[in-house]
Amino acid sequence: MEEGARMTWDASLDPAPIDRPILVIHGDEDALVPLEVAERLHERARASQLWVVEGGGHMLPITRPDEIAKRVASFALVR
């Protein structure tokens, strides 16, 4: 991806065939993937939750590992 380029919605990212709950996690300050991509995934998934991480960038598992781990664990335990 060239410098300054951002991902756009790709129709191949269709979560409809997935019949399990989905947790969509996205940082609101992601410079590479716009929040719209996460919102569209959430809208198209049968059973999903969208968690927008305030102040979060593209590398959430590295920059916010504890928050991500807690949220994923909580999501998984509810299922």
Side-chain angles (χ1 to χ4, degrees):
M1 188 180 298
E2 67 185 64
E3 188 175 333
R6 289 179 55 125
M7 180 180 176
T8 58
W9 176 252
D10 180 341
S12 69
L13 298 173
D14 181 13
I18 301 171
D19 66 350
R20 299 283 187 251
I22 298 170
L23 176 59
V24 179
I25 303 172
H26 198 88
D28 67 354
E29 294 183 10
D30 189 325
L32 298 176
V33 180
L35 181 56
E36 175 190 6
V37 172
E39 291 169 338
R40 285 184 158 187
L41 281 171
H42 171 61
E43 290 168 3
R44 287 166 173 75
R46 291 184 208 174
S48 69
Q49 285 183 16
L50 173 60
W51 177 36
V52 178
V53 180
E54 191 172 320
H58 188 71
M59 300 298 291
L60 291 171
I62 294 179
T63 61
R64 308 263 184 105
D66 294 337
E67 286 178 65
I68 299 297
K70 286 177 187 174
R71 192 57 169 265
V72 169
S74 174
F75 181 79
L77 289 174
V78 172
R79 309 290 166 245

